[in-house]
């Protein structure tokens, strides 16, 4: 899942360490989310959205679409 976390963090003038401290996680966790190595839990995603004042789907971009229903 792609995300805009790095962009939002930079726009807010926060380092990875600063954001990690605000969210109560490690800097490594922030790095892993930003590099798409880790998808955060729902509670963490919600906290990120609150920090930046945006909805969760403004941070995390999911290009998945459901398959067409089959008519068997």
């Amino acid at each position: 899942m792609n995300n805009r976390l790095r962009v939002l963090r930079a726009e807010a003038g926060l380092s990875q360490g600063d954001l990690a401290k605000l969210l109560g996680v490690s800097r490594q966790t922030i790095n892993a989310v930003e590099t798409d190595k880790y998808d955060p839990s729902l509670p963490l995603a919600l906290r990120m959205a609150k920090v930046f004042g945006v909805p969760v789907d403004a941070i995390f971009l999911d290009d998945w679409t459901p398959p067409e229903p089959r008519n068997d």
Side-chain angles (χ1 to χ4, degrees):
M1 179 179 312
N2 295 323
N3 70 74
R4 297 183 58 240
L5 185 59
R6 182 179 309 223
V7 171
L8 292 169
R9 180 179 57 74
E11 287 174 352
L14 297 170
S15 69
Q16 287 183 342
D18 295 335
L19 181 57
K21 192 176 291 186
L22 283 171
L23 297 170
V25 298
S26 69
R27 186 201 58 77
Q28 291 83 355
T29 296
I30 300 302
N31 181 267
V33 172
E34 287 185 354
T35 57
D36 295 323
K37 292 183 172 91
Y38 172 72
D39 289 331
S41 65
L42 181 56
L44 179 54
L46 291 169
R47 289 195 308 255
M48 289 174 175
K50 285 181 182 178
V51 165
F52 295 112
V54 298
V56 171
D57 64 354
I59 302 173
F60 299 96
L61 314 169
D62 184 13
D63 60 0
W64 180 83
T65 55
E68 291 292 322
R70 293 175 32 175
N71 294 326
D72 291 346

